[in-house]
Amino acid sequence: IKILYCKRELIRRTSVIALIIFSIAILVNCQSPQSDYLAKVNGEKITVSDFLATLPKSSVNDVATQCQEHLTKLINRRLIIQKAKAMGLMEQVANSLELSKKTMLIQKLMEEEIIKKAKATPIQIQQLYEILPEVVHLRLIVVNTEDAAQLVKRYLQAGVPFESCAYKFSSHPSSKSGGDVGYGRLAFLPEPIRLAVTNLPLGKVSSPIPTDEGFTFVQLLAKRTEPIGSLAQEEPALRSFLEEQKAKELHRRFFAQLNSRLTYNYKALRVFFKPANAITEEEKELWVCKKDETLFVRVKSLLPIAESFNPAIDTALRIYAIKREIEDDLLYEEAKKRGFDKDQKILAELAKVQDELLYQTFYNNEISGKVSVSDEAILEYYRKEQANYPTGWNESVKNLIRSRLLAEANQQVEAELLEKLKKEAKIEINQPTFNRLIAEIKKERRTDED
């Protein structure tokens, strides 16, 4: 299962956090209402937090120069983004921005429904710690369906050795060793298996246990105790295990409930077995899925997914991809219904994504897209700098020189463009706040060195 609720990176480097704290102190202590920004570019503010969030951690002694260069970069970036908007490039980035929004809202929904609800309690950690010394030696048989489980059960009841059944039927990696998974701590077994093993006599085999993988048979071969650390020492591992297991269960329940609302038309799903350009107009109108018995999606709305399929992709993966897209749409709809699209943190992140998309699109269209380097220019450069290339002329050297000349040409075009934009722009530097910020950064770096 591809888990959608992977945690996003929420912890920034300590040094950056410290600088942000200093910036808050600056803002609180300043008397002027204009002290919440470092610069204005055509009326748009570059705030202290904008500056600190992107300031590289550096051992540069000349803090003032580093800060000035960084502020100049932010001003230049803001000028390019403003120009991109003025040129109407928002239309070009709209699809990518919507995809980012969809991803963020689904992650927020997963955090609310799974991550936050999967927190381990002190009582749960204590209960698991109490059985942590217990170590068990097990054999496993894992099968995917209930029918397969009943077949294995009949074989075992008929006296067929556990190892033979594991080798023949089990989908677990241990099947080649007769299902033997060796010794492991009882506490770190998934709860359904742990409960079954706790009450299982030595040598006996459990009934089929429903698990995420399907159904599992367990044979208890041996049991012993081993020393453990203190609760404080073991707590991180116990907490991590409990929260992972709880998250898996919450995820399973959430998506089971989600899919109970969906009805698929397998005639329409089979349409995607053929190339997208071979799908007829009549087939495009077939309904693929209903949500709560209401039409949710037709074939034609999923054509972009079909067009992305590699011809070699098998039919099972095609159906999986289509269903995942439909699930994501339903999750997106649910997230918007809960108002997550108005969440201030998400809106702030989307604003950053939008700026980055605009910047990159403008740069690709108006700078790197308008620069080229001829083979003659590359050869001329090589002849002048031949002493720096002891391996002689070859394709690798040619590509290296091309990259260098392209980078220099890009810088030249960008510099000329920025010079023109600055002449047309109104740029205001809030020097008092900027000076105070530099002083705080110097102080912080001296503290780090001490």
Side-chain angles (χ1 to χ4, degrees), residues 83-116:
K83 184 63 176 178
K85 290 179 180 177
M87 292 173 61
L89 295 186
M90 277 298 300
E91 186 176 345
Q92 289 189 32
V93 305
N95 288 339
S96 296
L97 186 61
E98 179 66 15
L99 182 59
S100 294
K101 180 180 178 181
K102 181 177 181 179
T103 300
M104 288 182 190
L105 264 61
I106 290 175
Q107 287 176 339
K108 174 69 173 177
L109 182 62
M110 294 296 96
E111 287 172 8
E112 295 295 324
E113 287 296 323
I114 296 172
I115 303 302
K116 288 184 179 180

Side-chain angles (χ1 to χ4, degrees), residues 178-391:
D180 195 329
V181 293
Y183 279 93
R185 292 200 181 272
L186 179 65
F188 290 135
L189 292 174
E191 185 175 11
I193 295 178
R194 183 169 70 244
L195 293 176
V197 170
T198 300
N199 300 313
L200 197 63
L202 287 177
K204 297 297 183 179
V205 178
S206 72
S207 299
I209 307 163
T211 61
D212 290 341
E213 291 77 21
F215 294 86
T216 301
F217 293 85
V218 180
Q219 184 180 37
L220 177 61
L221 300 179
K223 185 186 294 186
R224 69 188 186 205
T225 60
E226 292 183 356
I228 60 172
S230 66
L231 178 59
Q233 292 172 320
E234 304 288 357
E235 189 268 346
L238 294 170
R239 180 182 298 279
S240 177
F241 173 77
L242 281 167
E243 292 182 353
E244 179 185 347
Q245 294 298 309
K246 194 169 183 181
K248 284 182 179 180
E249 178 59 21
L250 288 167
H251 181 271
R252 186 192 65 76
R253 290 180 187 174
F254 183 83
F255 278 87
Q257 183 181 29
L258 174 76
N259 281 292
S260 71
R261 300 172 60 192
L262 300 177
T263 303
Y264 289 99
N265 177 3
Y266 282 88
K267 178 182 177 182
L269 285 172
R270 284 193 290 272
V271 168
F272 297 102
F273 294 173
K274 59 184 182 179
N277 58 10
I279 298 175
T280 67
E281 292 301 319
E282 182 181 0
E283 288 171 331
K284 290 177 184 177
E285 295 301 323
L286 291 173
W287 69 271
V288 179
C289 178
K290 290 181 179 180
K291 179 197 71 175
D292 301 329
E293 299 305 316
T294 302
L295 179 62
F296 189 51
V297 63
R298 295 185 187 277
V299 168
K300 60 184 178 183
S301 67
L302 294 166
L303 287 180
I305 305 298
E307 290 166 356
S308 69
F309 287 153
N310 185 306
I313 189 173
D314 65 38
T315 55
L317 284 175
R318 288 170 185 252
I319 290 179
Y320 173 80
I322 292 294
K323 286 186 173 182
R324 278 295 303 273
E325 184 67 18
I326 292 170
E327 284 180 357
D328 282 355
D329 286 343
L330 186 54
L331 292 169
Y332 188 34
E333 183 183 86
E334 179 65 24
K336 288 191 290 186
K337 187 186 297 183
R338 298 192 188 189
F340 294 157
D341 54 337
K342 298 178 178 61
D343 183 278
Q344 291 304 308
K345 289 184 179 179
I346 290 177
L347 292 174
E349 286 297 316
L350 278 173
K352 293 178 184 177
V353 171
Q354 176 183 290
D355 283 354
E356 180 62 23
L357 288 170
L358 286 168
Y359 180 88
Q360 290 298 331
T361 302
F362 180 91
Y363 194 94
N364 293 338
N365 292 353
E366 303 299 321
I367 299 176
S368 62
K370 294 187 175 181
V371 170
S372 62
V373 176
S374 67
D375 288 345
E376 291 78 9
I378 295 172
L379 190 57
E380 181 182 353
Y381 181 92
Y382 172 74
R383 286 169 179 162
K384 290 179 181 179
E385 303 291 335
Q386 191 169 354
N388 296 323
Y389 298 96
T391 61

Side-chain angles (χ1 to χ4, degrees), residues 40 51 82 432:
K40 284 184 181 179
F51 181 90
Q82 289 176 352

Side-chain angles (χ1 to χ4, degrees), residues 134-145:
E134 297 184 38
V135 179
V136 291
H137 184 189
L138 303 177
R139 286 198 186 106
L140 299 179
I141 297 174
V142 179
V143 293
N144 298 325
T145 66

Side-chain angles (χ1 to χ4, degrees), residues 21-64:
I21 292 172
F22 275 113
S23 74
I24 293 171
I26 292 171
L27 295 177
V28 169
N29 292 327
C30 289
Q31 299 299 317
S32 169
Q34 299 300 314
S35 62
D36 61 339
Y37 70 94
L38 296 179
K40 284 184 181 179
V41 182
N42 294 320
E44 286 190 37
K45 293 180 179 180
I46 296 175
T47 65
V48 172
S49 59
D50 293 335
F51 181 90
L52 292 173
T54 53
L55 179 68
K57 179 65 176 176
S58 173
S59 59
V60 174
N61 293 327
D62 191 351
V63 174

